[in-house]
Amino acid sequence: MDHATSRRTFVLFPGALGDFMCFLPALQTLAQRASVDLFARTDFADLAPENVRVHSFERYEISKLFVCGAVADDKLRVFVARYASAYSWMGSGQHLFIRQLKELCQGRAHIFPFQPELPDRHQSEYYLACVHCSDSPTPQISVSPQATAWGAEYWARQSLEGAQVLLVAPGSGAREKNWPPPYFAEVIEWWRHQIGGQAVVVLGPAEEERGGLEPILRLGCKVACRLSLAELAAVISRSDVYIGNDSGVTHMAAALGVPTVALFGPSDVHQWRPQGNRVYILKHEIECAPCSVAAMKSCVHRSCLRALNPVEVIRQLNALQGQSHL
């Protein structure tokens, strides 16, 4: 095994965008120590550090680790031999996977639960602790020159030059975490008529799968859809202020340094707060929040979100509008 090969690190991470944003500081730490092959969602390549190559985790070598007899598979043995160490946040409850990966890696494998058993700290801090690092949990994202150029062209096409732009992401990975669409519409209407600005509404894959945006959110807005993560980062970075739910896009906005108003309902702010220097959390205090995923899915009143009045959001945006950086 040559030195270049022995310095590579195998990382397996199965999370969605919001999870990945929380994982990014830990990934950055690993990338400072050695070159990393990350097996995850391939679109994360747009956000990954320079020393990280991103591959799909839906491949033979990964699935084989969960099947009996993996340690005798020559193809898998050659694959694993490339790496000096392995880190996985997948399969911590699968004894066969754990045994086979550790045997193949000859003691160089580190396997962790995807989330801590007790949510006693921020998710980013948990991932950093897994890689024995106590650095800041704030992720770092840079917009590539190509994406920056694309963003400038998009701004010109949408006639957004010189406008105060409010970027709105009304969706998330779970409907139950979403602020009601009419509330977003009320804020957008205020921004357009009282501030005289423009609103861009981001439509993500989850919203497209569910049939798109509520019609009320299309009125008088620019709608951005089917964006790559690089293009999304470019749009966010050019905006003056961002509002959204507990979602991966909100984590991106916070990491990019854009003033970010994050609307929390059933999620645990302590564990999932977007990390950044210009993040403003708005939530309605209610006894049953935060709650478990099962409770969130079965909730019939959603008071934690419905009771968060648009006036509170408008008040926060108005305060930001009065600051010099907007």
Side-chain angles (χ1 to χ4, degrees), residues 4-322:
T5 299
S6 66
R7 288 288 296 164
R8 296 202 68 80
T9 299
F10 168 96
V11 175
L12 183 55
F13 187 80
L17 178 58
D19 306 306
F20 178 75
M21 291 302 304
C22 291
F23 177 63
L24 194 51
L27 180 61
Q28 290 162 347
T29 297
L30 291 174
Q32 290 169 1
R33 300 172 182 170
S35 298
V36 173
D37 282 341
L38 170 66
F39 296 85
R41 273 178 34 179
T42 54
D43 58 340
F44 292 162
D46 287 345
L47 306 177
E50 290 184 4
N51 208 23
V52 175
R53 297 188 304 195
V54 181
H55 314 268
S56 173
F57 57 71
E58 296 181 356
R59 54 186 292 159
Y60 170 83
E61 292 88 350
I62 305 302
S63 60
K64 184 65 178 178
L65 288 167
F66 291 87
V67 180
C68 187
V71 294
D73 187 299
D74 289 338
K75 182 178 179 181
L76 186 56
R77 293 175 70 89
V78 171
F79 170 79
V80 174
R82 305 172 187 172
Y83 301 105
S85 58
Y87 290 81
S88 177
W89 284 267
M90 173 187 278
S92 66
Q94 304 290 322
H95 297 298
L96 178 63
F97 169 84
I98 295 171
R99 178 176 61 80
Q100 295 190 138
L101 181 59
K102 286 189 173 182
E103 184 173 343
L104 285 164
C105 291
Q106 301 177 359
R108 305 187 308 272
H110 311 274
I111 303 164
F112 308 96
F114 184 64
Q115 294 184 18
E117 293 183 7
L118 297 175
D120 57 348
R121 53 187 160 176
H122 195 276
Q123 192 70 13
S124 291
E125 294 174 348
Y126 164 68
Y127 291 135
L128 282 166
C130 291
V131 299
H132 303 291
C133 180
S134 59
D135 288 348
S136 167
T138 301
Q140 302 294 322
I141 300 177
S142 59
V143 183
S144 70
Q146 295 86 349
T148 299
W150 180 91
E153 293 173 1
Y154 178 85
W155 236 239
R157 289 197 308 270
Q158 299 297 328
S159 302
L160 295 171
E161 294 289 353
Q164 293 275 8
V165 176
L166 171 67
L167 189 67
V168 180
S172 71
R175 283 184 182 272
E176 296 81 8
K177 296 193 296 182
N178 296 349
W179 205 40
Y183 289 11
F184 276 112
E186 187 173 333
V187 173
I188 291 170
E189 187 75 0
W190 169 83
W191 182 266
R192 292 177 58 237
H193 289 90
Q194 296 300 316
I195 302 302
Q198 294 269 16
V200 176
V201 178
V202 174
L203 178 64
E207 288 70 55
E208 291 191 90
E209 290 175 8
R210 297 168 188 152
L213 287 174
E214 296 277 350
I216 193 172
L217 290 174
R218 293 185 179 271
L219 299 176
C221 296
K222 313 289 185 180
V223 178
C225 58
R226 299 182 181 88
L227 301 182
S228 68
L229 290 181
E231 292 167 346
L232 178 58
V235 168
I236 292 172
S237 66
R238 293 185 68 92
S239 302
D240 293 284
V241 64
Y242 167 96
I243 63 170
N245 305 299
D246 169 29
S247 69
V249 183
T250 301
H251 282 271
M252 282 184 64
L256 286 163
V258 174
T260 299
V261 178
L263 311 175
F264 270 71
S267 305
D268 187 346
V269 175
H270 178 68
Q271 184 179 7
W272 296 107
R273 175 190 177 94
Q275 300 294 293
N277 297 324
R278 303 165 80 181
V279 178
Y280 307 87
I281 302 292
L282 295 182
K283 62 189 294 290
H284 178 74
E285 297 294 340
I286 184 172
E287 185 176 348
C288 59
C291 63
S292 66
V293 173
M296 178 183 75
K297 294 291 185 183
S298 62
C299 181
V300 295
H301 57 80
R302 299 183 64 215
S303 297
C304 58
L305 287 166
R306 294 184 185 278
L308 179 56
N309 196 288
V311 172
E312 298 177 56
V313 178
I314 289 171
R315 185 181 299 119
Q316 180 65 72
L317 292 175
N318 206 28
L320 289 173
Q321 178 66 11

